[in-house]
Amino acid sequence: MPLITLVLPGSIRIKKNSKRIFRRGKYATVLPSLAYLEWEKQARNVALENPVVPPLTCPVEVTALFYYKGHRPDLSGAMESLGDCLEGIIWADDTQIESWDGSRMIHSPDNPRTVVVVRW
């Protein structure tokens, strides 16, 4: 079974936490937090150094070890953020992820990172 291993720097940021509301006249748009956008930018840059060209279109299994700093984020939000972040680089769409077996949160104030293993 082929696999890809990535180590993404920094503590995971949850996409749905700390949203910003951007207003233009009577219209409002909800945007992700600046912290999430910065984390996503760094993570995508690392993933682009090891791209799967073209992105995988088959079902994938993902194991993610989230080494976080500070307060413990929720695991489901972390998986959703990671799935969205790597969409179009590693997999074509995050709906291809069939399992997140073995994924977990680990407190690591000195070396926050996310270790991702993708199997197909």
Side-chain angles (χ1 to χ4, degrees):
M1 182 174 247
L3 66 90
I4 298 169
T5 301
L6 295 171
V7 179
L8 308 176
S11 195
I12 185 79
R13 300 293 185 201
I14 307 304
K15 190 173 186 176
K16 290 194 173 185
N17 289 358
S18 305
K19 291 184 178 181
R20 299 174 294 146
I21 298 175
F22 177 75
R23 296 187 187 279
R24 177 168 279 176
K26 64 180 182 177
Y27 299 100
T29 302
V30 178
L31 302 172
S33 70
L34 293 175
Y36 171 79
L37 293 175
E38 182 60 32
W39 175 83
E40 181 184 52
K41 180 181 173 183
Q42 290 177 356
R44 289 180 67 85
N45 285 338
V46 169
L48 285 168
E49 292 172 4
N50 304 298
V52 177
V53 180
L56 298 169
T57 57
C58 58
V60 296
E61 297 174 8
V62 179
T63 301
L65 303 177
F66 300 99
Y67 294 88
Y68 65 94
K69 177 180 181 179
H71 295 289
R72 183 182 193 279
D74 74 289
L75 180 60
S76 63
M79 292 185 301
E80 182 178 351
S81 292
L82 183 63
D84 290 342
C85 175
L86 298 179
E87 191 170 273
I89 298 172
I90 303 299
W91 41 75
D93 191 296
D94 63 353
T95 59
Q96 297 166 233
I97 301 171
E98 291 192 332
S99 77
W100 287 93
D101 292 348
S103 296
R104 62 183 170 272
M105 306 301 296
I106 303 162
H107 189 248
S108 178
D110 298 327
N111 189 14
R113 65 201 181 279
T114 301
V115 178
V116 184
V117 178
V118 181
R119 294 176 187 83
W120 67 95

